[in-house]
Amino acid sequence: MNNKVIAIDGPAGAGKSTIARKLAKLLNYTYIDSGAMYRALTLKVLLQDADVQDQDAVVRIAAETDIDFHHNSIFLDGRNVDQEIREEGINRNVSCIAAVPEVRRIMVELQRKASKGKNVVMDGRDVGTVIFPNASFKFFITASVEERALRRYAETLEKNSQADLEDIKLQIEQRDNVDSTRVDSPLRMAEDATCIDTTGKTVEQVLEEVIKSMNLMGGEY
Ligand code: DC
């Protein structure tokens, strides 16, 4: 049997990772968060005090970096960095690093390697367009920018006592802009993807829509 890939792409904060994680659990697939890999590389660049705008330095670091998953945790050169990659400094710098073509080439290789021999649900920006153009199922998950900002705001408040909704909204808009306008593999919906707008929907409703659509497509999973 061929390995199956379910690709879930979409903009920041649309609920991709929640849906992807739950879907993987339900189907007994491996969940791979491709954005976490760009985040781990960004962490390494920042820890080395390199300039995120210095593309040559960033590519050099990417070429000598190992990023992999074990039991849903991400390891940067063998070290678990699940918490560190979610910090503010990473949010602000990751899309700049993800725009470098040579970095993307290295990451796509690592993303395919991490999926080898497994049935996977992978979420990101270019899963259905570049990493796995032949994925068994492709979804594009989106939501209004107001709703995405509100979700991030609630998440941030859970971890910190303070959060600024307007600042979060601005950051999401900026990240969307960089991700969608970059020259190499910009965020866009694959022609054969199913688009789901999650605005005003619960996680359960979206998950139900995903499964229903997979059943309608008739593919095996
Ligand atoms: O999904 P996320 O917010 O953790 O992604 C972090 C950044 O990485 C975001 O700016 C987009 C980028 N990214 C990408 O370019 N390609 C992917 N497949 C996944 C993420």
Side-chain angles (χ1 to χ4, degrees):
M1 190 188 79
N2 286 333
N3 301 321
K4 301 249 186 284
V5 175
I6 301 175
I8 301 194
D9 290 305
K16 298 183 302 287
S17 66
T18 309
I19 297 299
R21 211 182 291 273
K22 285 195 181 260
L23 185 64
K25 198 161 180 207
L26 199 71
L27 304 180
N28 204 15
Y29 279 29
T30 301
Y31 166 60
I32 298 182
D33 175 353
S34 66
M37 300 171 90
Y38 288 96
R39 287 173 175 271
L41 175 62
T42 306
L43 173 64
K44 182 155 171 182
V45 170
L46 295 179
L47 286 175
Q48 294 203 351
D49 273 332
D51 177 0
V52 292
Q53 309 277 354
D54 180 349
Q55 296 202 359
D56 289 343
V58 170
V59 169
R60 221 177 304 120
I61 295 172
E64 59 193 30
T65 297
D66 181 48
I67 299 169
D68 205 358
F69 293 89
H70 297 287
H71 304 295
N72 283 332
S73 282
I74 185 157
F75 288 79
L76 169 66
D77 297 323
R79 189 168 71 83
N80 182 319
V81 291
D82 284 339
Q83 307 294 326
E84 282 164 86
I85 61 164
R86 302 291 159 196
E87 282 171 13
E88 204 40 44
I90 309 289
N91 292 342
R92 292 187 191 277
N93 291 292
V94 63
S95 47
C96 169
I97 284 182
V100 181
E102 184 59 14
V103 164
R104 302 201 66 81
R105 200 189 56 72
I106 294 169
M107 288 297 132
V108 168
E109 225 170 81
L110 287 174
Q111 285 148 358
R112 290 184 181 143
K113 190 174 134 207
S115 315
K116 216 166 177 170
K118 299 174 185 144
N119 290 329
V120 301
V121 180
M122 185 183 286
D123 73 344
R125 305 295 189 285
D126 61 341
V127 184
T129 52
V130 176
I131 311 172
F132 291 113
N134 297 321
S136 320
F137 298 95
K138 298 181 187 180
F139 292 94
F140 193 84
I141 306 259
T142 185
S144 70
V145 69
E146 287 74 21
E147 174 127 349
R148 293 188 282 132
L150 271 173
R151 289 180 192 162
R152 277 280 146 98
Y153 176 71
E155 270 171 29
T156 313
L157 273 187
E158 266 178 33
K159 287 181 261 167
N160 306 312
S161 53
Q162 279 187 342
D164 182 332
L165 181 59
E166 276 313 303
D167 184 47
I168 290 176
K169 187 169 165 225
L170 196 71
Q171 262 194 58
I172 286 186
E173 283 170 334
Q174 281 169 349
R175 205 132 65 87
D176 282 356
N177 185 38
V178 178
D179 292 341
S180 323
T181 57
R182 69 180 175 224
V183 178
D184 190 335
S185 352
L187 167 67
R188 67 172 178 84
M189 186 171 115
E191 277 170 19
D192 50 351
T194 302
C195 184
I196 299 181
D197 187 335
T198 69
T199 310
K201 292 178 188 159
T202 64
V203 172
E204 285 66 32
Q205 284 171 324
V206 178
L207 200 57
E208 213 171 282
E209 238 178 275
V210 167
I211 305 267
K212 203 163 141 193
S213 149
M214 285 169 58
N215 287 336
L216 277 176
M217 281 186 253
E220 280 179 29
Y221 55 85

